Amino acid sequence: MIRTRLLALTIILASATAASAVPIKDASSTTLPTIFDHNTGILSISGVRPLNITYIDETIATLLDTAFELEANLASSSSMGGIAYGLFDSGSIVLKDSGGVDLLVGSLVSLEIIETQDGIGQLAAYGSFTVNEVAPSFEWELSAGSIVDMIFEVEPLSFDDFATQSFEALSDITIKPIPEPLTLSLLGMGLAGMAVARRRRR
């Protein structure tokens, strides 16, 4: 009887903990060492930095010594008026805690990088990825994510072509959860259904 009650209490406490978990709104890291090699077409970002996390209730937490790793493969490049543009269409993204445990493992879907202004050595990027694995302690609730607010401070400053030039940089990256297309479609259908129901009530 006592064991049964203890088991029931444990289940209740576990359920309460799960219910009270607050999902992540976004996570960011700064000054990550970055290398692009035009000979291989591989962009590699890898560094151990604090990971700043904002939750959907706007509370903030910092995970110290978090490894942020991103690798992407160049699919195409172009330059217009000295402004460089590169499209990357495959790769990976991995976050590890200070103990080397995977917090998030994902597959890069796309990454677009463009020079913000000719000759100043700054690139900006955005992209998307699917999530393959998430640690229970990392409150990333959706199965996809977006790469936003990604800024590269590059050398050389005169970089203007992914096809013929390599660069080194320090990158600031923010990622955030996004619903997959199917989830978005279902959400859209649900909103449409609500709209129809309201019209009928009128």
Side-chain angles (χ1 to χ4, degrees), residues 61-167:
T62 299
L63 300 180
L64 299 177
D65 300 328
T66 303
F68 196 120
E69 301 170 4
L70 185 148
E71 187 170 287
N73 299 289
L74 182 66
S76 63
S77 66
S78 62
S79 179
M80 183 177 296
I83 301 298
Y85 170 83
L87 173 63
F88 296 76
D89 67 355
S90 63
S92 61
I93 180 170
V94 178
L95 302 181
K96 296 177 181 286
D97 68 14
S98 58
V101 176
D102 290 340
L103 296 174
L104 181 147
V105 178
S107 298
L108 190 71
V109 175
S110 68
L111 182 68
E112 296 184 59
I113 305 176
I114 189 168
E115 191 177 13
T116 60
Q117 185 178 331
D118 188 30
I120 68 170
Q122 187 180 80
L123 306 175
Y126 63 92
S128 62
F129 59 92
T130 57
V131 177
N132 304 323
E133 298 176 29
V134 179
S137 60
F138 198 64
E139 303 298 336
W140 188 284
E141 292 200 336
L142 301 177
S143 56
S146 62
I147 299 169
V148 298
D149 299 331
M150 187 171 180
I151 300 294
F152 305 83
E153 300 294 342
V154 308
E155 291 286 347
L157 297 179
S158 58
F159 178 81
D160 59 12
D161 190 353
F162 285 91
T164 60
Q165 289 180 274
S166 300
F167 67 77

Side-chain angles (χ1 to χ4, degrees), residues 7-48:
L7 178 60
L9 180 59
T10 300
I11 293 173
I12 290 171
L13 289 174
S15 300
T17 301
S20 63
V22 179
I24 290 173
K25 178 182 177 182
D26 60 55
S28 61
S29 191
T30 61
T31 62
L32 292 163
T34 301
I35 297 175
F36 172 70
D37 185 344
H38 78 275
N39 293 303
T40 61
I42 295 176
L43 175 74
S44 178
I45 300 174
S46 181
V48 177

Side-chain angles (χ1 to χ4, degrees), residues 170-194:
L170 292 176
S171 303
D172 298 343
I173 305 176
T174 299
I175 60 175
K176 61 183 3 178
I178 58 170
E180 287 186 308
L182 177 59
T183 305
L184 288 172
S185 297
L186 292 173
L187 178 60
M189 291 172 62
L191 292 174
M194 290 173 63

